[in-house]
Amino acid sequence: MEKAMERDGIRTNDRQLACARIQSQEGQDYLAAMAAAANFAWVNRSAMTFLARQAFAKIFNKGPGDLDMHVIYDVSHNIAKIEEHMVDSEIKQLLVHRKGSTRAFPPHHPLIPVDYQLTGQPVLIGGTMGTCSYVLLGTEVGMESTFGSTCHGAGRSQSRNKSRRKLEYSEVLAKLAKQGISIRVASPKLVMEEAPESYKDVSAVVDTCHDAGISRKCVKLRPIAVIKG
């Protein structure tokens, strides 16, 4: 990417950003690799959904259908999509790359499923293992001002390394237990890395997006069980 930027005279306003022209070999290689990663993510989520349904069916001795365990919505975060947007009073085809954000199209948009045509695209905002999560809905304001995008989570307030240094495994588990949250974890270090203290206040982030009009609040969810790793 950096070689392609130098070759094609591309400059960014942040040294952490890198890009290439879409039709260049680097651009096409990137899109192909991204598509492979997205396919892996879709399959991975499908596998986890299947295994979760099987676990609930085994414990409750009922089928997933009887337990109403259907997928409400599935969407990829951190992905580039070819879309049409209004730019300078003209409809143009753009490659919209959402990093740290997710798509949030408004009601009646042709690219969202028929079940959500009247409400707008569902937006899944994951909180931490000790805080709430949200389901938001896309809006027309977001379509006009952010290319139909909104936040996709709270975002980290401190690095993984800093979380491991500052937090104690037993203290995080005790705090979750006090909140009535069960946890199963593959590695103790994951508990510190993903502790609620490692992230920003998801409610404040969601409120900001709601107040700005780029998405609107629909459902607030409270965690009761967490599986990590």
Side-chain angles (χ1 to χ4, degrees):
M1 282 286 184
E2 291 178 347
K3 290 181 179 179
M5 291 173 65
E6 184 177 355
R7 181 193 65 213
D8 296 334
I10 299 173
R11 300 285 183 269
T12 62
N13 59 3
D14 190 324
R15 292 184 63 185
Q16 294 187 17
L17 297 177
C19 59
R21 299 192 183 279
I22 297 171
Q23 298 304 329
S24 69
Q25 187 61 54
E26 294 85 357
Q28 291 298 301
D29 288 346
Y30 176 87
L31 292 177
M34 182 195 68
N39 285 336
F40 170 81
W42 284 108
V43 172
N44 195 39
R45 290 197 297 274
S46 295
M48 289 191 294
T49 300
F50 172 78
L51 293 172
R53 284 170 169 161
Q54 293 297 101
F56 273 78
K58 181 179 179 180
I59 295 297
F60 292 102
N61 198 28
K62 291 183 178 180
D66 296 327
L67 293 169
D68 198 24
M69 294 188 69
H70 62 282
V71 175
I72 295 176
Y73 201 66
D74 191 3
V75 64
S76 292
H77 293 175
N78 295 337
I79 193 170
K81 296 269 192 178
I82 296 175
E83 302 167 357
E84 289 187 344
H85 290 274
M86 188 72 72
V87 180
D88 296 332
S89 301
E90 292 183 34
I91 294 179
K92 295 185 178 181
Q93 189 177 74
L94 307 177
L95 182 66
V96 181
H97 198 162
R98 297 179 175 91
K99 181 70 178 77
S101 63
T102 189
R103 194 156 78 174
F105 282 172
H108 312 300
H109 194 283
L111 292 183
I112 61 177
V114 64
D115 287 350
Y116 304 110
Q117 280 292 310
L118 297 180
T119 62
Q121 181 174 8
V123 181
L124 310 179
I125 307 297
T128 71
M129 56 189 183
T131 59
C132 58
S133 297
Y134 288 87
V135 179
L136 312 181
L137 296 172
T139 66
E140 195 62 50
V141 172
M143 197 67 184
E144 295 171 357
S145 58
T146 62
F147 298 108
S149 309
T150 191
C151 69
H152 81 154
R156 300 191 69 90
S157 61
Q158 58 186 19
S159 69
R160 297 179 188 276
N161 287 334
K162 188 175 182 180
S163 295
R164 287 198 296 269
R165 291 196 304 269
K166 290 184 62 177
L167 302 174
E168 287 292 334
Y169 172 73
S170 57
E171 291 180 4
V172 176
L173 292 185
K175 187 173 181 179
L176 292 174
K178 191 174 181 179
Q179 294 177 255
I181 301 172
S182 299
I183 182 169
R184 297 293 182 273
V185 63
S187 168
K189 72 177 184 179
L190 285 174
V191 173
M192 286 85 82
E193 289 177 2
E194 299 299 322
E197 296 86 346
S198 301
Y199 287 84
K200 300 170 187 173
D201 182 349
V202 66
S203 294
V205 173
V206 166
D207 285 343
T208 298
C209 294
H210 179 85
D211 293 342
I214 61 175
S215 53
R216 61 187 180 89
K217 290 184 283 188
C218 179
V219 178
K220 183 177 181 179
L221 305 167
R222 183 180 68 84
I224 58 174
V226 178
I227 300 174
K228 287 290 182 184

